[in-house]
Amino acid sequence: MGRFTLPRDLYHGKGSIDELKNLAGKRAIVVVGGGSMKRFGFLDRVVDNLKAAGMEVELFEGVEPDPSVETVMKGAEAMRKFNPDWIVAMGGGSPIDAAKAMWAFYEYPEVTFEDLCIPFNFPTLRTKAKFCAIPSTSGTATEVTAFSVITDYAKGIKYPLADFNITPDIAIVDPDLAEKMPKKLTAHTGMDAMTHAVEAYVSTLNCDYTDPLALHAIKMIHEFLIPSFNGDMDARDRMHNAQCLAGMAFSNALLGIVHSMAHKTGAAYTGGHIVHGCANAMYLPKVIKYNSKNEVAAERYADIARFIGLKGETTTELVDALIAELRSMNEKLEIPTCIKYYEGGIIDEQEFMSKLSDVAALAISDACTGSNPRQPSQEEMEKLLKAVYYDEEINF
């Protein structure tokens, strides 16, 4: 038996943020990140709409990129004091992911973070509040997914939390917010969305319900991401829809080892974080080559190549064409080919190699690995990680 879960309602198109005035409730807490939503006037608009709906409103501001366990706990405490019946999270993936985890601790103060780290182990939510998500970036699609990524900085590990309970009740996909993204963020979030769609299509849990969403998202991202990066706002608007479709696909088909590797390398090194979307972009071509040793996965990658108009007579030629096209997109988006050149080389080679075995083991144990079409051994994962550090060929 399969399952396909989406938000109860999804409002999309310019001005859809004003749908908030039609929510029914008494108190709403708004969870946001840095100052961009305030600077561009979107936070005031959200608050005004919620007040127009007759609600008392409180803000929880300052959720950091890669939200921490500590921020989640602070937010949950604020919710328990305010007792909202709506949680409204707005911004990039970070504040929305953080708010999802806060939601669980708000409704169940006795639950532990370790409990939530077990996939699909959340308690039943909506005993106190419903959840509305408003994305400002075109990548994570957390507004329609059953996932949240929280970082334990003390351990240097990103934890992907997974449970259909945290799929939002309402998603508002308003492209006005995405038009304010800076260029680099547009690139990284766009390739994050591409990775979501590609991994969902080849996942062992793909199905007739997820395949069309994944393929159409890939086609849209292939067509619109580069123009969006170069300032075409019509393309930027279409990308906001494309990333959401990719999210619908992967929330139900799950992901693969591109994400496993991105989760476990993101916060592992003292030189700095590897931004999630950029990590996915660098790792995806290598993982496609690795997974293509699996005959079923290779045929599905070939399907993708054909669908976006790439040429090749054989499955191998089509897979290689897809890899080459993704690398070309990365180059046009000013994304480096490998970790060694990320941000001018901030990830130290010696530290990377010293942590290789541990990071590989953590990546294998990541929740996303189980649905990857090829299950890596410890040795293979170490080789993959070295390949994405040095841009080495995959021949195993």
Side-chain angles (χ1 to χ4, degrees):
M1 183 188 76
R3 177 172 178 171
F4 190 84
T5 302
L6 295 176
R8 171 66 178 81
D9 292 299
L10 189 153
Y11 299 96
H12 57 94
K14 285 180 171 291
S16 52
I17 197 172
D18 293 333
E19 184 60 32
L20 288 169
K21 65 180 62 173
N22 295 319
L23 294 186
K26 296 179 179 179
R27 286 178 296 278
I29 189 165
V30 180
V31 180
V32 292
S36 63
M37 292 297 95
K38 182 178 290 187
R39 284 197 310 275
F40 296 127
F42 294 119
L43 181 56
D44 286 344
R45 200 162 151 195
V46 164
V47 171
D48 289 346
N49 279 322
L50 292 170
K51 287 181 176 178
M55 290 196 229
E56 183 183 350
V57 181
E58 184 166 297
L59 302 180
F60 184 87
E61 301 180 78
V63 175
E64 71 274 42
D66 300 315
S68 64
V69 174
E70 290 77 14
T71 295
V72 168
M73 296 308 183
K74 288 177 184 176
E77 183 180 359
M79 290 177 185
R80 288 193 291 270
K81 289 179 180 177
F82 183 59
N83 199 32
D85 44 20
W86 275 102
I87 300 166
V88 178
M90 177 177 64
S94 296
I96 299 174
D97 278 9
K100 286 179 174 180
M102 293 171 190
W103 188 15
F105 290 108
Y106 165 47
E107 298 203 359
Y108 295 92
E110 71 282 0
V111 77
T112 68
F113 190 74
E114 288 70 26
D115 292 334
L116 302 187
C117 287
I118 301 170
F120 302 97
N121 192 50
F122 273 63
T124 299
L125 298 179
R126 296 167 181 82
T127 62
K128 295 182 180 179
K130 292 182 179 179
F131 195 101
C132 174
I134 310 168
S136 64
T137 60
S138 301
T140 69
T142 188
E143 73 276 6
V144 294
T145 76
F147 299 98
S148 164
V149 180
I150 305 299
T151 300
D152 186 328
Y153 286 92
K155 296 179 180 178
I157 297 175
K158 288 187 177 184
Y159 291 105
L161 309 181
D163 198 286
F164 289 113
N165 265 292
I166 56 172
T167 304
D169 298 280
I170 292 176
I172 296 178
V173 185
D174 189 330
D176 283 342
L177 281 70
E179 290 184 4
K180 303 300 184 182
M181 284 192 298
K183 201 170 185 180
K184 181 180 280 191
L185 185 60
T186 300
H188 291 171
T189 56
M191 287 307 291
D192 189 19
M194 177 66 90
T195 306
H196 291 156
V198 171
E199 289 209 294
Y201 191 71
V202 302
S203 162
T204 57
L205 295 175
N206 73 77
C207 67
D208 289 341
Y209 295 88
T210 60
D211 282 354
L213 292 166
L215 280 176
H216 190 59
I218 291 166
K219 187 173 185 178
M220 290 180 71
I221 296 163
H222 183 242
E223 180 177 354
F224 295 117
L225 178 53
I226 305 298
S228 172
F229 176 73
N230 290 324
D232 181 333
M233 288 301 142
D234 289 335
R236 184 76 58 87
D237 293 354
R238 298 298 299 278
M239 273 298 303
H240 211 42
N241 291 335
Q243 65 86 31
C244 188
L245 296 174
M248 294 177 187
F250 92 77
S251 185
N252 292 280
L254 306 186
L255 293 163
I257 59 172
V258 178
H259 273 78
S260 302
M261 294 161 67
H263 291 150
K264 298 319 185 226
T265 56
Y269 310 109
T270 56
H273 282 204
I274 305 174
V275 174
H276 179 72
C278 187
N280 283 338
M282 293 188 293
Y283 305 170
L284 180 59
K286 301 299 184 188
V287 169
I288 290 175
K289 190 67 174 178
Y290 170 79
N291 282 342
S292 67
K293 298 290 186 180
N294 176 292
E295 187 176 335
V296 174
E299 289 297 334
R300 292 184 75 80
Y301 289 130
D303 288 344
I304 293 170
R306 292 187 196 98
F307 195 72
I308 61 176
L310 303 181
K311 303 300 181 186
E313 295 296 324
T314 66
T315 296
T316 299
E317 289 176 356
L318 286 163
V319 171
D320 287 344
L322 177 60
I323 291 169
E325 184 66 9
L326 291 168
R327 287 178 68 96
S328 174
M329 289 182 69
N330 283 345
E331 182 180 358
K332 292 172 183 174
L333 294 165
E334 300 173 7
I335 290 172
T337 57
C338 59
I339 296 173
K340 184 176 181 178
Y341 303 121
Y342 175 74
E343 294 293 321
I346 65 170
I347 307 303
D348 179 72
E349 180 179 7
Q350 186 174 348
E351 183 186 14
F352 182 87
M353 293 304 296
S354 72
K355 293 182 176 178
L356 180 64
S357 177
D358 289 343
V359 171
L362 289 168
I364 290 170
S365 67
D366 188 270
C368 295
T369 300
S371 46
N372 193 69
R374 187 180 173 193
Q375 291 300 298
S377 65
Q378 174 73 19
E379 181 184 5
E380 288 171 339
M381 181 57 78
E382 289 183 19
K383 287 181 178 179
L384 273 169
L385 288 165
K386 286 176 68 178
V388 300
Y389 188 87
Y390 295 108
D391 193 18
E392 295 175 344
E393 291 296 316
I394 301 293
N395 54 15
F396 54 91

